[in-house]
Amino acid sequence: MPKILFVLTGTDFWTLADGTKHPTGFWAEEAAAPYQAFTAAGYEVVVATPGGVVPTVDRSSLAPEFNGGQEGADKVAAVIASLTALQHPIRIEDVDLADYAAVFYPGGHGPMEDLAVDAASGRLLIDALDSGKPLAVVCHGPAALLAATKDDGTNAFAGYQVAAFTNEEETQSGFADKAKWLLETRLVEAGVDVRTGEPWVPNVVVDRNLITGQNPASSAPLADRVLKELG
């Protein structure tokens, strides 16, 4: 069975500008919707995290208000509970890219804490980009792109068109004035061509083998695009 690699944050907190540790992790929908799409299409999902730690789901991402009501929240929680690969992650350092048909980075605020500065993840992203295999990243997942630094000090994704959680969305979510830095701003500073859509509306951007989504609502259409690229 062909495999798709999910690279998830390994942290359960996000350090805010005042030093407060805000509870977080990965965003449930951003793992659940692609997982369902990929497994339904016959792919096995393998999870990798920094150090191989078991990833933490952001508890707020399981709330009814973020899932269209209690029924939607229950469905997402059931998918996350059934995703046994979450309980048996491998270390990012041990990933053999040749084993996978595609690589996918879900979001949540967690990647802003660890993947944004994780050198092993940065190398994996560069290798995935160079491989030509579908590389999909959604919402706050693009924070991981910041660690993809080439030998000359430039970012491997400079010049690429990318969708990511926007400053406007961060403002509306109530964290823009609390964060140490904003994802959209930092990506632009790294030379990434951030293509913003309307807040909370699906927005998927494709540039060569890089497929990115702006927000949680982009997760399902992003997965569909990955499957289309895989044929």
Side-chain angles (χ1 to χ4, degrees), residues 179-226:
K180 287 183 178 181
W181 49 272
L182 297 178
L183 178 56
E184 179 186 342
T185 298
R186 189 63 67 83
L187 289 170
V188 171
E189 291 172 350
V192 176
D193 181 6
V194 179
R195 296 300 178 103
T196 61
E198 292 296 316
W200 315 111
V201 176
N203 177 33
V204 174
V205 173
V206 181
D207 189 343
R208 287 154 278 188
N209 62 315
L210 178 64
I211 307 165
T212 50
Q214 179 173 315
N215 44 38
S218 304
S219 302
L222 178 143
D224 289 342
R225 184 55 190 255
V226 171

Side-chain angles (χ1 to χ4, degrees), residues 17 90 99 116 130 222:
I90 63 174
D99 293 339
D130 291 344
L222 178 143

Side-chain angles (χ1 to χ4, degrees), residues 106-213:
H109 279 115
M112 296 181 70
E113 183 74 27
D114 60 357
L115 296 181
V117 293
D118 190 286
S121 173
R123 288 191 296 272
L124 173 62
L125 284 164
I126 293 173
D127 290 344
L129 195 64
D130 291 344
S131 74
K133 296 179 179 182
L135 170 59
V137 193
V138 69
C139 201
H140 287 90
L145 308 186
L146 298 170
T149 305
K150 297 191 291 187
D151 291 341
D152 62 4
T154 62
N155 189 280
F157 294 88
Y160 274 80
Q161 295 181 2
V162 170
F165 201 71
T166 65
N167 290 355
E168 184 175 3
E169 287 168 322
E170 202 71 85
T171 298
Q172 292 183 12
S173 69
F175 286 105
D177 60 349
K178 301 175 183 178
K180 287 183 178 181
W181 49 272
L182 297 178
L183 178 56
E184 179 186 342
T185 298
R186 189 63 67 83
L187 289 170
V188 171
E189 291 172 350
V192 176
D193 181 6
V194 179
R195 296 300 178 103
T196 61
E198 292 296 316
W200 315 111
V201 176
N203 177 33
V204 174
V205 173
V206 181
D207 189 343
R208 287 154 278 188
N209 62 315
L210 178 64
I211 307 165
T212 50

Side-chain angles (χ1 to χ4, degrees), residues 18-167:
D18 66 357
T20 303
K21 291 184 176 181
H22 175 72
T24 188
F26 69 90
W27 197 259
E29 180 182 358
E30 295 167 23
Y35 170 76
Q36 287 183 298
F38 296 150
T39 54
Y43 290 88
E44 177 187 351
V45 168
V46 175
V47 171
T49 62
V53 302
V54 175
T56 299
V57 64
D58 187 320
R59 303 305 302 178
S60 63
S61 70
L62 298 174
E65 58 264 34
F66 294 120
N67 294 285
Q70 188 61 55
E71 183 178 353
D74 291 343
K75 288 181 179 178
V76 169
V79 173
I80 295 300
S82 70
L83 214 171
T84 56
L86 288 172
Q87 303 304 317
H88 306 284
I90 63 174
R91 302 192 319 149
I92 294 175
E93 298 88 341
D94 296 335
V95 169
D96 184 348
L97 190 59
D99 293 339
Y100 303 97
V103 177
F104 172 57
Y105 278 67
H109 279 115
M112 296 181 70
E113 183 74 27
D114 60 357
L115 296 181
V117 293
D118 190 286
S121 173
R123 288 191 296 272
L124 173 62
L125 284 164
I126 293 173
D127 290 344
L129 195 64
D130 291 344
S131 74
K133 296 179 179 182
L135 170 59
V137 193
V138 69
C139 201
H140 287 90
L145 308 186
L146 298 170
T149 305
K150 297 191 291 187
D151 291 341
D152 62 4
T154 62
N155 189 280
F157 294 88
Y160 274 80
Q161 295 181 2
V162 170
F165 201 71
T166 65
N167 290 355

